[in-house]
Amino acid sequence: MRTFMLSISVLALASVSFAQNIKVKVGNEIVSFDAAPRKVNGITMVPIRSMMDALQGTMRWTPDTQTISAWANSRRFDFVLRSRDAKVNERPMRMEEAPVVHKNRIYVPIKFIADASGYIISQEEGWLVLRPARK
């Protein structure tokens, strides 16, 4: 029984881990998170409210439908907790990982937030950096 519980604990840590060392910038501005980014199944997840603040965007949470609507750079994106399906300007899009709630924070894949709001992500000297996508 003890071996079984240890195995479950190891598996849980393997699929969801805290990523204290993930550092994010939007351009040259450091994103200040109110909760640490995390990795879920290898996907970098960030608290949506902190990212929207950094992108100078807004968001609305609708508890009845578990839906988030967010606006940044004249784009609207909508998604539902625990679903990988989303919409960006009414166009369907699929996220790498479903948004989740952890300790009262909604975590969303950073790649989805970047793509949905018109940014690209690069890795620069230990940082994930979001820069406006060129048209």
Side-chain angles (χ1 to χ4, degrees), residues 38-69:
R38 319 172 66 208
K39 288 238 183 201
V40 175
N41 297 322
I43 306 300
T44 301
M45 308 280 281
V46 293
I48 183 78
R49 186 165 307 278
S50 296
M51 279 306 302
M52 293 310 298
D53 289 346
L55 296 171
Q56 298 177 354
T58 59
M59 59 174 273
R60 181 181 65 224
W61 164 246
T62 307
D64 296 345
T65 58
Q66 301 278 289
T67 302
I68 294 261
S69 297

Side-chain angles (χ1 to χ4, degrees), residues 17-25 30-31 33 35-40 42-47 51 110 123 126-129:
S17 63
F18 289 98
Q20 307 290 9
N21 60 343
I22 292 177
K23 302 180 291 184
V24 178
K25 291 182 184 179
I30 296 171
V31 177
F33 291 105
R38 319 172 66 208
K39 288 238 183 201
V40 175
I43 306 300
T44 301
M45 308 280 281
V46 293
M51 279 306 302
I110 192 169
Q123 284 195 306
W127 292 84
L128 291 177
V129 181

